[in-house]
Amino acid sequence: VEATGEVLIGSARVGVSVRGQILVSGALARLRRDHPRLVPRVRVVEPAQVPTLLRQGALDVAFVPVPISGDDLELLALTAMQSVLLCPAEHPLADAVAVGPEALAEAAFVAPAPLLGVPGDGWPPGVARRVALYLDDPVHAAALAAEEGLLVVVPAALAPLPGMAVVDLAIPATPMHAVRRVAVSQSQDLAGLVIDAVEGALRLDA
């Protein structure tokens, strides 16, 4: 990144989980407006890869739903994302207003792969369920669930989606975190710029 006066020229390298991508998308317009010559490069990464990618300088910041620790890493709590249950219109649950996870033990789900041993869609770790197949992208997972008569848990910000009824799901919201290196070698703190943009977008949505 090159700083010319108050103008930043270059790239901000951002790593996201699938949920992190949803979180960051609302901040990209703000970041481009404030720094029109700074190009955000957003890539989906596994949370387990984040410490190495940050230390190698391949990422400036990452947004993930699981806490990541390290003596040289800083973890910032940002917000919590609420999830909803999507079910096909013809499913017995389609007319339900709300449901608890314990009532879904026998239902079949499309779900993302676990993240560091934790369900990737916010499902409570201690509550059993049956996953018929794993698919990380929630939009494609919902489309497949609609075709196959399966259930899917997605961030509430994505709902509604075509062919699916929305049911409130009584599970805790998923905390979202920003992770960056403690020592920043660049003259400009790119991680801070991106985090500020995300926090600004969250304030507008509140």
Side-chain angles (χ1 to χ4, degrees), residues 128-148:
R129 66 168 167 177
R130 183 163 62 93
V131 178
L133 61 93
Y134 290 96
L135 182 60
D136 285 346
D137 184 273
V139 175
H140 288 95
L144 184 59
E147 292 178 6
E148 298 296 326

PDB file of all heavy atoms in Angstrom, residues 128-148:
ATOM      1  N   ALA A 128     -28.031 -32.402  19.306  1.00  0.00           N
ATOM      2  CA  ALA A 128     -27.886 -33.331  18.182  1.00  0.00           C
ATOM      3  C   ALA A 128     -28.813 -32.949  17.030  1.00  0.00           C
ATOM      4  O   ALA A 128     -29.900 -32.407  17.226  1.00  0.00           O
ATOM      5  CB  ALA A 128     -28.202 -34.750  18.650  1.00  0.00           C
ATOM      6  N   ARG A 129     -28.370 -33.245  15.816  1.00  0.00           N
ATOM      7  CA  ARG A 129     -29.212 -33.122  14.620  1.00  0.00           C
ATOM      8  C   ARG A 129     -28.631 -34.022  13.546  1.00  0.00           C
ATOM      9  O   ARG A 129     -27.491 -34.502  13.649  1.00  0.00           O
ATOM     10  CB  ARG A 129     -29.300 -31.684  14.115  1.00  0.00           C
ATOM     11  CG  ARG A 129     -27.972 -31.129  13.598  1.00  0.00           C
ATOM     12  CD  ARG A 129     -28.133 -29.836  12.851  1.00  0.00           C
ATOM     13  NE  ARG A 129     -26.845 -29.195  12.637  1.00  0.00           N
ATOM     14  CZ  ARG A 129     -26.679 -28.073  11.948  1.00  0.00           C
ATOM     15  NH1 ARG A 129     -27.726 -27.478  11.416  1.00  0.00           N
ATOM     16  NH2 ARG A 129     -25.485 -27.549  11.791  1.00  0.00           N
ATOM     17  N   ARG A 130     -29.393 -34.226  12.493  1.00  0.00           N
ATOM     18  CA  ARG A 130     -28.956 -35.090  11.395  1.00  0.00           C
ATOM     19  C   ARG A 130     -28.631 -34.226  10.181  1.00  0.00           C
ATOM     20  O   ARG A 130     -29.497 -33.531   9.655  1.00  0.00           O
ATOM     21  CB  ARG A 130     -30.052 -36.101  11.047  1.00  0.00           C
ATOM     22  CG  ARG A 130     -29.654 -37.085   9.951  1.00  0.00           C
ATOM     23  CD  ARG A 130     -30.589 -38.286   9.946  1.00  0.00           C
ATOM     24  NE  ARG A 130     -31.966 -37.920   9.668  1.00  0.00           N
ATOM     25  CZ  ARG A 130     -32.498 -37.923   8.433  1.00  0.00           C
ATOM     26  NH1 ARG A 130     -31.756 -38.242   7.382  1.00  0.00           N
ATOM     27  NH2 ARG A 130     -33.762 -37.605   8.255  1.00  0.00           N
ATOM     28  N   VAL A 131     -27.393 -34.261   9.744  1.00  0.00           N
ATOM     29  CA  VAL A 131     -26.967 -33.505   8.563  1.00  0.00           C
ATOM     30  C   VAL A 131     -26.925 -34.455   7.373  1.00  0.00           C
ATOM     31  O   VAL A 131     -26.147 -35.414   7.354  1.00  0.00           O
ATOM     32  CB  VAL A 131     -25.593 -32.846   8.786  1.00  0.00           C
ATOM     33  CG1 VAL A 131     -25.151 -32.106   7.519  1.00  0.00           C
ATOM     34  CG2 VAL A 131     -25.658 -31.875   9.970  1.00  0.00           C
ATOM     35  N   ALA A 132     -27.770 -34.184   6.381  1.00  0.00           N
ATOM     36  CA  ALA A 132     -27.834 -35.041   5.196  1.00  0.00           C
ATOM     37  C   ALA A 132     -26.685 -34.765   4.240  1.00  0.00           C
ATOM     38  O   ALA A 132     -26.202 -35.674   3.557  1.00  0.00           O
ATOM     39  CB  ALA A 132     -29.170 -34.853   4.479  1.00  0.00           C
ATOM     40  N   LEU A 133     -26.252 -33.510   4.174  1.00  0.00           N
ATOM     41  CA  LEU A 133     -25.092 -33.169   3.344  1.00  0.00           C
ATOM     42  C   LEU A 133     -24.539 -31.836   3.794  1.00  0.00           C
ATOM     43  O   LEU A 133     -25.228 -31.031   4.423  1.00  0.00           O
ATOM     44  CB  LEU A 133     -25.458 -33.151   1.857  1.00  0.00           C
ATOM     45  CG  LEU A 133     -26.529 -32.162   1.384  1.00  0.00           C
ATOM     46  CD1 LEU A 133     -25.912 -30.868   0.923  1.00  0.00           C
ATOM     47  CD2 LEU A 133     -27.317 -32.786   0.237  1.00  0.00           C
ATOM     48  N   TYR A 134     -23.265 -31.621   3.464  1.00  0.00           N
ATOM     49  CA  TYR A 134     -22.571 -30.399   3.849  1.00  0.00           C
ATOM     50  C   TYR A 134     -22.346 -29.525   2.623  1.00  0.00           C
ATOM     51  O   TYR A 134     -21.867 -29.991   1.585  1.00  0.00           O
ATOM     52  CB  TYR A 134     -21.226 -30.723   4.506  1.00  0.00           C
ATOM     53  CG  TYR A 134     -21.352 -31.354   5.863  1.00  0.00           C
ATOM     54  CD1 TYR A 134     -21.312 -32.734   6.015  1.00  0.00           C
ATOM     55  CD2 TYR A 134     -21.524 -30.567   7.003  1.00  0.00           C
ATOM     56  CE1 TYR A 134     -21.436 -33.313   7.273  1.00  0.00           C
ATOM     57  CE2 TYR A 134     -21.649 -31.143   8.255  1.00  0.00           C
ATOM     58  CZ  TYR A 134     -21.603 -32.514   8.380  1.00  0.00           C
ATOM     59  OH  TYR A 134     -21.723 -33.085   9.612  1.00  0.00           O
ATOM     60  N   LEU A 135     -22.701 -28.256   2.755  1.00  0.00           N
ATOM     61  CA  LEU A 135     -22.501 -27.272   1.691  1.00  0.00           C
ATOM     62  C   LEU A 135     -22.316 -25.919   2.364  1.00  0.00           C
ATOM     63  O   LEU A 135     -23.192 -25.465   3.102  1.00  0.00           O
ATOM     64  CB  LEU A 135     -23.700 -27.255   0.739  1.00  0.00           C
ATOM     65  CG  LEU A 135     -23.631 -26.312  -0.459  1.00  0.00           C
ATOM     66  CD1 LEU A 135     -22.442 -26.647  -1.353  1.00  0.00           C
ATOM     67  CD2 LEU A 135     -24.932 -26.381  -1.256  1.00  0.00           C
ATOM     68  N   ASP A 136     -21.177 -25.279   2.118  1.00  0.00           N
ATOM     69  CA  ASP A 136     -20.831 -24.079   2.871  1.00  0.00           C
ATOM     70  C   ASP A 136     -21.655 -22.853   2.495  1.00  0.00           C
ATOM     71  O   ASP A 136     -22.048 -22.078   3.360  1.00  0.00           O
ATOM     72  CB  ASP A 136     -19.345 -23.756   2.695  1.00  0.00           C
ATOM     73  CG  ASP A 136     -18.453 -24.700   3.491  1.00  0.00           C
ATOM     74  OD1 ASP A 136     -18.976 -25.404   4.366  1.00  0.00           O
ATOM     75  OD2 ASP A 136     -17.245 -24.728   3.223  1.00  0.00           O
ATOM     76  N   ASP A 137     -21.906 -22.634   1.214  1.00  0.00           N
ATOM     77  CA  ASP A 137     -22.591 -21.410   0.790  1.00  0.00           C
ATOM     78  C   ASP A 137     -24.062 -21.461   1.186  1.00  0.00           C
ATOM     79  O   ASP A 137     -24.793 -22.352   0.741  1.00  0.00           O
ATOM     80  CB  ASP A 137     -22.457 -21.240  -0.718  1.00  0.00           C
ATOM     81  CG  ASP A 137     -23.065 -19.929  -1.179  1.00  0.00           C
ATOM     82  OD1 ASP A 137     -24.284 -19.901  -1.441  1.00  0.00           O
ATOM     83  OD2 ASP A 137     -22.337 -18.928  -1.258  1.00  0.00           O
ATOM     84  N   PRO A 138     -24.541 -20.520   2.013  1.00  0.00           N
ATOM     85  CA  PRO A 138     -25.918 -20.623   2.511  1.00  0.00           C
ATOM     86  C   PRO A 138     -26.983 -20.428   1.443  1.00  0.00           C
ATOM     87  O   PRO A 138     -28.069 -21.008   1.539  1.00  0.00           O
ATOM     88  CB  PRO A 138     -25.986 -19.527   3.583  1.00  0.00           C
ATOM     89  CG  PRO A 138     -24.906 -18.565   3.231  1.00  0.00           C
ATOM     90  CD  PRO A 138     -23.816 -19.386   2.604  1.00  0.00           C
ATOM     91  N   VAL A 139     -26.705 -19.619   0.424  1.00  0.00           N
ATOM     92  CA  VAL A 139     -27.699 -19.401  -0.639  1.00  0.00           C
ATOM     93  C   VAL A 139     -27.876 -20.668  -1.463  1.00  0.00           C
ATOM     94  O   VAL A 139     -29.005 -21.108  -1.743  1.00  0.00           O
ATOM     95  CB  VAL A 139     -27.298 -18.209  -1.526  1.00  0.00           C
ATOM     96  CG1 VAL A 139     -28.263 -18.066  -2.705  1.00  0.00           C
ATOM     97  CG2 VAL A 139     -27.277 -16.921  -0.703  1.00  0.00           C
ATOM     98  N   HIS A 140     -26.770 -21.293  -1.849  1.00  0.00           N
ATOM     99  CA  HIS A 140     -26.856 -22.540  -2.595  1.00  0.00           C
ATOM    100  C   HIS A 140     -27.409 -23.666  -1.713  1.00  0.00           C
ATOM    101  O   HIS A 140     -28.145 -24.538  -2.195  1.00  0.00           O
ATOM    102  CB  HIS A 140     -25.488 -22.928  -3.149  1.00  0.00           C
ATOM    103  CG  HIS A 140     -25.034 -22.059  -4.277  1.00  0.00           C
ATOM    104  ND1 HIS A 140     -24.217 -20.981  -4.100  1.00  0.00           N
ATOM    105  CD2 HIS A 140     -25.316 -22.098  -5.606  1.00  0.00           C
ATOM    106  CE1 HIS A 140     -23.992 -20.387  -5.254  1.00  0.00           C
ATOM    107  NE2 HIS A 140     -24.654 -21.044  -6.187  1.00  0.00           N
ATOM    108  N   ALA A 141     -27.063 -23.639  -0.430  1.00  0.00           N
ATOM    109  CA  ALA A 141     -27.597 -24.645   0.486  1.00  0.00           C
ATOM    110  C   ALA A 141     -29.115 -24.529   0.582  1.00  0.00           C
ATOM    111  O   ALA A 141     -29.835 -25.540   0.602  1.00  0.00           O
ATOM    112  CB  ALA A 141     -26.961 -24.487   1.862  1.00  0.00           C
ATOM    113  N   ALA A 142     -29.632 -23.296   0.630  1.00  0.00           N
ATOM    114  CA  ALA A 142     -31.081 -23.101   0.704  1.00  0.00           C
ATOM    115  C   ALA A 142     -31.764 -23.569  -0.567  1.00  0.00           C
ATOM    116  O   ALA A 142     -32.844 -24.173  -0.528  1.00  0.00           O
ATOM    117  CB  ALA A 142     -31.390 -21.633   0.979  1.00  0.00           C
ATOM    118  N   ALA A 143     -31.148 -23.303  -1.722  1.00  0.00           N
ATOM    119  CA  ALA A 143     -31.734 -23.747  -2.988  1.00  0.00           C
ATOM    120  C   ALA A 143     -31.802 -25.271  -3.044  1.00  0.00           C
ATOM    121  O   ALA A 143     -32.812 -25.849  -3.488  1.00  0.00           O
ATOM    122  CB  ALA A 143     -30.924 -23.193  -4.163  1.00  0.00           C
ATOM    123  N   LEU A 144     -30.744 -25.925  -2.590  1.00  0.00           N
ATOM    124  CA  LEU A 144     -30.730 -27.382  -2.587  1.00  0.00           C
ATOM    125  C   LEU A 144     -31.735 -27.935  -1.574  1.00  0.00           C
ATOM    126  O   LEU A 144     -32.427 -28.927  -1.842  1.00  0.00           O
ATOM    127  CB  LEU A 144     -29.320 -27.882  -2.269  1.00  0.00           C
ATOM    128  CG  LEU A 144     -29.120 -29.394  -2.314  1.00  0.00           C
ATOM    129  CD1 LEU A 144     -29.467 -29.945  -3.693  1.00  0.00           C
ATOM    130  CD2 LEU A 144     -27.681 -29.750  -1.964  1.00  0.00           C
ATOM    131  N   ALA A 145     -31.822 -27.286  -0.416  1.00  0.00           N
ATOM    132  CA  ALA A 145     -32.785 -27.717   0.595  1.00  0.00           C
ATOM    133  C   ALA A 145     -34.212 -27.615   0.071  1.00  0.00           C
ATOM    134  O   ALA A 145     -35.050 -28.479   0.345  1.00  0.00           O
ATOM    135  CB  ALA A 145     -32.616 -26.879   1.858  1.00  0.00           C
ATOM    136  N   ALA A 146     -34.506 -26.569  -0.698  1.00  0.00           N
ATOM    137  CA  ALA A 146     -35.834 -26.405  -1.274  1.00  0.00           C
ATOM    138  C   ALA A 146     -36.155 -27.546  -2.230  1.00  0.00           C
ATOM    139  O   ALA A 146     -37.277 -28.057  -2.266  1.00  0.00           O
ATOM    140  CB  ALA A 146     -35.943 -25.060  -1.982  1.00  0.00           C
ATOM    141  N   GLU A 147     -35.162 -27.977  -3.005  1.00  0.00           N
ATOM    142  CA  GLU A 147     -35.367 -29.057  -3.971  1.00  0.00           C
ATOM    143  C   GLU A 147     -35.521 -30.408  -3.286  1.00  0.00           C
ATOM    144  O   GLU A 147     -36.312 -31.257  -3.722  1.00  0.00           O
ATOM    145  CB  GLU A 147     -34.188 -29.119  -4.940  1.00  0.00           C
ATOM    146  CG  GLU A 147     -34.078 -27.930  -5.878  1.00  0.00           C
ATOM    147  CD  GLU A 147     -32.866 -28.038  -6.778  1.00  0.00           C
ATOM    148  OE1 GLU A 147     -32.185 -29.100  -6.729  1.00  0.00           O
ATOM    149  OE2 GLU A 147     -32.581 -27.084  -7.511  1.00  0.00           O
ATOM    150  N   GLU A 148     -34.766 -30.623  -2.202  1.00  0.00           N
ATOM    151  CA  GLU A 148     -34.683 -31.944  -1.584  1.00  0.00           C
ATOM    152  C   GLU A 148     -35.557 -32.097  -0.338  1.00  0.00           C
ATOM    153  O   GLU A 148     -35.554 -33.160   0.290  1.00  0.00           O
ATOM    154  CB  GLU A 148     -33.220 -32.235  -1.213  1.00  0.00           C
ATOM    155  CG  GLU A 148     -32.275 -32.266  -2.405  1.00  0.00           C
ATOM    156  CD  GLU A 148     -32.593 -33.399  -3.368  1.00  0.00           C
ATOM    157  OE1 GLU A 148     -33.027 -34.476  -2.901  1.00  0.00           O
ATOM    158  OE2 GLU A 148     -32.429 -33.209  -4.590  1.00  0.00           O
TER     159      GLU A 148
END
